[in-house]
Amino acid sequence: MSNNDLSGTLPLCLANLTSLQLLDLSFNHFIGNISLSPLGSLTSMHTLQLSSNLFRIPISLLPFFNHSKLNLLNCHENEIYADIDVPTLTPKFQLRTLDLSGQGDGGVFPKFFYYQHKLEYVDMSNIKMKGEFPHWLIRNNTKLYTLHLPNCSLSGPLQLPIHSHVHFSDLDISDNYFNGSIPTEIGVCFPSLNSLDLSGNGLTGGIPSSFGKMSQLTELDLSSNHLSGIIPQELIVGCSSLYELILSNNSLHGQIFPKQANCKELFLLLLDGNQFTGSIPYSIINSTRLNMLDVSDNHLFGIIPSWIRNMTFLRVLDLSENNFFGTLPSSFVPPQIREVYLSNNSLQGPLTNAFYNCSKLMTLDLSRNYFTGRIPDWIGNFSTLTYLLLAYNNLEGEIPIQLCHLFKLRLVDFSNNNLSGPVPPCISLRRYSDHRSIFSRTSNFSMTQPLEVTTKNALRYFQGSILSLMSGLDLSCNNLTGEIPVEIGNLDKIQLLNLSHNKLTGLIPQSFSNLTQIESLDLSYNNLNGKIPQLTQLYFLAVFSVAHNNLSGRTPEMVAQFATFENSSYEGNPFLCGPPLSKSCFSSSIMPRFSEEDKKYHKKDGGFVDIDAFHVSFLISYAIVLLTIAAVLYINPHWRRAWFYMIELSLTNFYYFLVDNIPFVFRCY
């Protein structure tokens, strides 16, 4: 009965099927408390599939205590709740496969586990339970090969059954509150382990060298703990089958890889957020299948090696937030690279040929370095480029028009450089993208490096699924000139637009009213003039600034989101009036009083011109100039003689000009 979009409570007549051995109700919309359902009468069942419904299931499994043949129970993605006053009973079932993962508060670790001795697969993910790690469960079930207890609120030291004969292959106890050190005998206890995830706990101390005895280990995740010390050589040498090694966000130090490393099967290496020092060791190149290398946020230094280009399987490279210096080698990454993060280093020089052949590049983050020169024209060859961040460098010249050939762009940040010239009118930005990090396609841990964008002088970081929905253009803090292209208003899916701190002139395009998804709009510190267009229909706008321009007229009506913007959004525009500014639009200090019927006032560029007053002021100014010249000539004889000499010379020159150019006229005389 699975995958049928069925709903409601289970029919009571189901209790009549007393000989039923297998029942699959998964992927429907059934509701109700299992304790009150007819399932308690089906004692002949050996397999019961209830996953992905809306059942309420007690964590004690009391309704199934009489199901002596039950060996597989799958309750994944239902509501698990804690029983009250559970009677002291012994269950008749001996489960082999149990899946209670999903959501819920189970209270304490369920007691029925104490009576189980044939368990092979247990998944209690995301069920909140109090207590310590159930090491006795491993000891009592010698055939147990998979135990998943992530995000279960378990705490205390991590105790292991030292003399266990369990042939574990998969242990996941991540995102709990375990503390203390990792037991030194872990490699002895679980020599056949394939996957181990201890991430997201409070574990301290070093990484035990006994990990090297896990010759079959393919996936190891110790990230987000408080581990210290070095990476033991035994781990890198002994675990020759390692496919994923994740040690992010700890306090590990020393070299990131020993010279003897020979992890040929390594596909994923994440060492970010530690205190590793030294340069990138050449031994990494022995990991010929390495697909993702992340050593960001460490203390690495030196010149970025050119041999990285020989790592032909590499798709994601993150060396950001280190102390790398020097220029980028020519074509230093393999042509098939997809994501490159080099931000927050001390790299310098031009970008001449660093990424020339990387036609499949999706993300390029070179922000916060000292790169110089122009943005290369070959940027237009990156047809799949989605995120381009070059902020906080010393780049100059115009924004290349080749940028308009990139139709998959979603986020562009050129802020805080020395770029000049106009804003290209043909930039195209998308809102949604099918771009995902290569990592998310190969692992159950979705990751994309956080991208940093400046919005109204505040840093914001976008990552993961939020980043996949983000679209923005930041050209702030440059020397851009000219008018804002009307075409920018056609980017109707854009969420961030920052053109502040430039030398832009002209009007704010009326087409900006089309930016219906915009959340942050900053045009401050330019030379814009005229009126602010009607923007009150931009309902998602949370950050807005047109401060320090030459705008005039009335501020937008204080309705909807515009009611939240303060004086700082408009300040520095002397001819702008209306709330939240203190200047009233009816004040004589702002503009002269006039009536709607008075045709003498003509509207121009958002202001008003009194034609009669203009004529009078012009004639008076002209008369003052003439009287000033006459007074100066009368007072100063030297200037008077020079004046008349200049007039005489001008007349003589004019006479001979006519003689030379119109001789026929003078011959007639």
Side-chain angles (χ1 to χ4, degrees), residues 112-261:
F112 72 84
F113 274 115
Y114 288 97
Y115 303 98
Q116 303 302 302
H117 304 285
K118 296 183 179 181
L119 286 170
E120 299 176 4
Y121 179 97
V122 175
D123 190 347
M124 303 283 288
S125 303
N126 304 308
I127 304 301
K128 307 303 180 184
M129 299 176 290
K130 298 178 182 179
E132 297 182 345
F133 179 71
H135 58 90
W136 45 267
L137 182 65
I138 300 174
R139 185 176 59 251
N140 293 345
N141 294 271
T142 57
K143 294 184 179 181
L144 188 64
Y145 65 87
T146 295
L147 177 60
H148 287 177
L149 299 173
N151 194 28
C152 290
S153 300
L154 299 174
S155 60
L158 188 58
Q159 300 180 15
L160 299 178
I162 299 178
H163 301 292
S164 172
H165 298 286
V166 174
H167 297 285
F168 247 154
S169 64
D170 187 359
L171 176 60
D172 183 355
I173 53 175
S174 59
D175 297 313
N176 283 286
Y177 301 99
F178 295 121
N179 53 40
S181 59
I182 301 174
T184 56
E185 69 277 6
I186 188 169
V188 179
C189 293
F190 307 130
S192 59
L193 204 61
N194 296 130
S195 177
L196 175 61
D197 191 346
L198 305 180
S199 63
N201 283 285
L203 299 174
T204 57
I207 299 175
S209 59
S210 65
F211 271 115
K213 299 184 180 299
M214 298 179 181
S215 58
Q216 301 180 43
L217 191 65
T218 59
E219 300 175 6
L220 176 61
D221 189 349
L222 305 178
S223 62
S224 300
N225 280 286
H226 305 294
L227 300 175
S228 57
I230 63 173
I231 300 176
Q233 181 174 318
E234 293 84 354
L235 170 63
I236 302 300
V237 176
C239 300
S240 57
S241 300
L242 266 180
Y243 184 79
E244 295 183 4
L245 177 59
I246 307 175
L247 304 178
S248 311
N249 301 312
N250 282 287
S251 298
L252 301 171
H253 60 264
Q255 286 279 342
I256 61 175
F257 238 39
K259 294 181 180 180
Q260 296 83 358

Side-chain angles (χ1 to χ4, degrees), residues 298-347:
N298 279 285
H299 303 299
L300 302 175
F301 58 86
I303 298 175
I304 295 179
S306 59
W307 49 258
I308 292 179
R309 71 168 68 100
N310 298 324
M311 303 176 69
T312 55
F313 280 82
L314 192 64
R315 298 296 180 268
V316 180
L317 175 65
D318 192 346
L319 307 180
S320 59
E321 298 187 68
N322 280 287
N323 300 309
F324 293 111
F325 55 82
T327 59
L328 292 179
S330 178
S331 302
F332 80 100
V333 288
Q336 303 299 318
I337 197 80
R338 303 291 181 85
E339 303 178 26
V340 177
Y341 306 91
L342 302 178
S343 62
N344 286 279
N345 280 286
S346 298
L347 301 169

Side-chain angles (χ1 to χ4, degrees), residues 613-634:
F614 173 77
H615 289 161
V616 172
S617 61
F618 177 79
L619 292 174
I620 292 175
S621 300
Y622 186 74
I624 290 174
V625 171
L626 292 178
L627 291 173
T628 302
I629 294 175
V632 170
L633 296 179
Y634 178 78

Side-chain angles (χ1 to χ4, degrees), residues 3 12 64 69 108 152 160 181 197 199 220 237 310-311 318 347 369 441 454 466 486 551 556 572 650 657 666-667:
N3 290 282
L12 296 178
F64 306 111
K69 298 180 180 180
V108 297
C152 290
L160 299 178
S181 59
D197 191 346
S199 63
L220 176 61
V237 176
N310 298 324
M311 303 176 69
D318 192 346
L347 301 169
N369 281 284
R441 299 175 185 172
T454 303
I466 298 298
V486 176
L551 299 171
S650 299
F657 173 79
F666 290 92
R667 285 200 301 270

